[in-house]
Amino acid sequence: MARVFSGIQPTGHLTLGNYLGAMRRWAEVDQHQADALFCVVDLHALTMDHDPARVRRLSRQAATLLLASGLDPELCTLFVQSHVDEHARLSYLLECVATDGEMRRMIQYKEKAAKEAARGRSVRVSLLTYPVLMAADILAYGTDDVPVGEDQAQHVELARDLAVRFNQRYGHTFTVPRATLPAVAARVMNLQEPARKMGKSDESGLGVVYLLDEPDVVRKKVMRAVTDSGREVVYDRDERPGLANLLEILAACTGGDPEALSGAYESYGALKKDTAEAVVEVLRPLRARHRELCADPGYVEGVLRAGAKRARAMARPTVDAAYRAIGLLPAVPEEGAEAEVGVALNAAR
C-alpha cells in the first residue's frame, strides 16, 4: 500500500478552498486507498509574525475540522507536527543538503519577501528555509504520494530533489515522493479577486468562504462574487475568471463538469444562487460534525496523542538512518538505560 502524507497550516481559519482542494479528497479517497498521514503543520505557522495563543487555537480548530471532514483515526494517522520531534531533527540535515539558490527560487518566498520589502521590513530566516522543513515532513515517513494544491507543487519538487541528492551522496535513505493534484477545483479562487487564490490570510474575508461561516454568510459572499463583462455564461478560465471560478466551485460541490454546467445558465444571478446553495449543502454535515466534536474536546486530544505516537514510531527509524548515513555519531544511551529497556521487554513478553 502506498504511503500518503499531507498537511495544513494553522495560519488562519480553514476555507472552502482548503476543503475542495484537499480535505475532501483526503477523507473520501486517500485514507481508504493508502497508508495515510495527515498533519497540522504548526511549525510552519511560525515563519511570520503571529499571536502564540491564536496559533494554538487554530491548530486545535484545524484538527477538529479535519476530523469533521471525515478523517477516521482508525483509517489514517492525524497528528500535530510539533508533537513529533523527528520533523525538526530531519529538517536540519536537509538544510545541509539544500542550497541557498534553491531556497530563494521558491515562489512563495519571493512573493512574501517582496511584499515585506515594500513595507521596509525583512522576513524571518524560517520563511526562507521552511520548504526544507516541508521536505522533512514528507521524507521522514517514506512518503510515496503528496496530495497538494498547485501552489505547493514546487515544494514537493524540492523534496524530490533533496531525497535524490541525499541518496546519491550518503546512500539510499529516502523514498522519492511525487505530487498528486486533484482534477477539479485544485485551486479555488477568491470570490472578489478571481486572479488570486482563496487563502486563509485574506485581510477582508469578503472573497473567502470559511468552513465555519453561517449559511446566510456563505450565501451573501457567493451572491456578491465578482463576475466578468458580458451577459453570456461561458466557461473560460483566461478570459472570464470570475465566472470560471463559480462554475468550478459548483462543479466541485455537485460532481459536475464546469464547461457542461455553463450551458445550463442564462444569467449570472441563477448561477450564483445555485452555487451558493451547493456550497451551503456541502458544508452542512461538516459544520454539524464540528459542533459534536467541540462538545467532546477529550476525544480530539486523544486522537492527536495517539496519532503523534504512531507518527513518531514511523518516522524515527528513517530519521535515525539519515543521521547515521550523513556521518553523525550515534547517541550513547544513559547508564542503566539498556538494562531498563531489557527489563521492560522481558516484562512485555
Side-chain angles (χ1 to χ4, degrees):
M1 183 178 287
R3 178 163 290 173
V4 166
F5 177 94
S6 200
I8 201 159
Q9 292 189 39
T11 49
H13 298 289
L14 299 186
T15 73
L16 179 67
N18 296 128
Y19 181 69
L20 296 180
M23 293 165 61
R24 185 171 64 173
R25 172 178 168 159
W26 298 352
E28 295 181 354
V29 178
D30 293 320
Q31 70 173 342
H32 297 283
Q33 297 183 355
D35 180 10
L37 298 99
F38 301 109
C39 183
V40 178
V41 286
D42 54 344
L43 294 176
H44 291 299
L46 310 185
T47 60
M48 303 290 284
D49 289 343
H50 63 276
D51 173 13
R54 185 170 186 264
V55 170
R56 285 191 291 270
R57 184 171 64 253
L58 290 177
S59 295
R60 177 182 290 276
Q61 183 185 90
T64 306
L65 282 169
L66 287 170
L67 289 171
S69 72
L71 290 188
D72 184 345
E74 296 297 323
L75 298 175
C76 68
T77 301
L78 174 62
F79 65 104
V80 176
Q81 180 189 31
S82 63
H83 295 175
V84 181
D85 294 345
E86 278 63 32
H87 292 256
R89 288 180 62 208
L90 181 56
S91 182
Y92 180 73
L93 294 196
L94 295 179
E95 285 185 13
C96 297
V97 177
T99 67
D100 177 74
E102 286 175 315
M103 297 299 97
R104 295 186 187 279
R105 286 195 296 270
M106 294 290 112
I107 294 172
Q108 291 196 22
Y109 169 76
K110 290 195 294 186
E111 290 177 348
K112 292 180 180 180
K115 186 176 180 180
E116 291 301 305
R119 298 176 177 175
R121 302 188 301 201
S122 60
V123 296
R124 301 181 182 188
V125 172
S126 57
L127 181 64
L128 178 66
T129 60
Y130 102 86
V132 178
L133 176 57
M134 182 174 173
D137 299 337
I138 296 166
L139 298 181
Y141 296 98
T143 302
D144 298 296
D145 296 308
V146 187
V148 292
E150 294 173 356
D151 57 324
Q152 293 293 333
Q154 185 187 35
H155 292 156
V156 180
E157 284 302 312
L158 175 68
R160 289 173 56 84
D161 292 342
L162 295 181
V164 169
R165 192 177 307 155
F166 192 102
N167 290 346
Q168 290 175 341
R169 290 181 181 177
Y170 306 113
H172 184 78
T173 306
F174 299 117
T175 299
V176 180
R178 56 184 173 264
T180 55
L181 303 176
V184 178
R187 198 174 190 189
V188 178
M189 312 307 283
N190 189 290
L191 295 174
Q192 293 297 315
E193 300 177 64
R196 187 164 64 92
K197 79 168 186 174
M198 186 180 285
K200 297 189 293 291
S201 58
D202 183 88
E203 293 182 2
S204 71
L206 297 178
V208 180
V209 174
Y210 297 106
L211 297 185
L212 296 179
D213 277 346
E214 294 292 336
D216 284 346
V217 173
V218 172
R219 293 185 181 99
K220 287 179 182 178
K221 288 181 177 180
V222 176
M223 294 302 294
R224 293 173 181 173
V226 169
T227 50
D228 311 285
S229 59
R231 294 178 178 274
E232 187 180 4
V233 178
V234 295
Y235 178 67
D236 188 328
R237 168 54 74 184
D238 295 325
E239 299 297 326
R240 312 285 286 277
L243 280 176
N245 190 37
L246 289 171
L247 287 165
E248 288 186 356
I249 292 171
L250 178 60
C253 291
T254 61
D257 174 78
E259 190 165 358
L261 286 169
S262 67
Y265 293 95
E266 296 181 354
S267 70
Y268 294 171
L271 171 61
K272 287 182 176 182
K273 183 177 180 181
D274 283 359
T275 301
E277 292 305 319
V279 172
V280 168
E281 289 306 311
V282 160
L283 297 184
R284 191 183 304 279
L286 181 147
R287 288 168 46 80
R289 178 60 176 151
H290 178 264
R291 287 193 294 271
E292 294 174 358
L293 291 167
C294 285
D296 188 8
Y299 172 76
V300 178
E301 291 175 0
V303 168
L304 296 179
R305 183 167 53 249
K309 183 177 180 180
R310 288 199 301 271
R312 203 174 298 121
M314 283 187 269
R316 185 165 294 168
T318 299
V319 176
D320 286 349
Y323 268 60
R324 291 192 299 270
I326 206 169
L328 297 178
L329 192 66
V332 178
E334 294 182 11
E335 185 176 352
E338 291 181 344
E340 290 178 6
V341 170
V343 170
L345 289 174
N346 288 332
R349 293 191 188 103

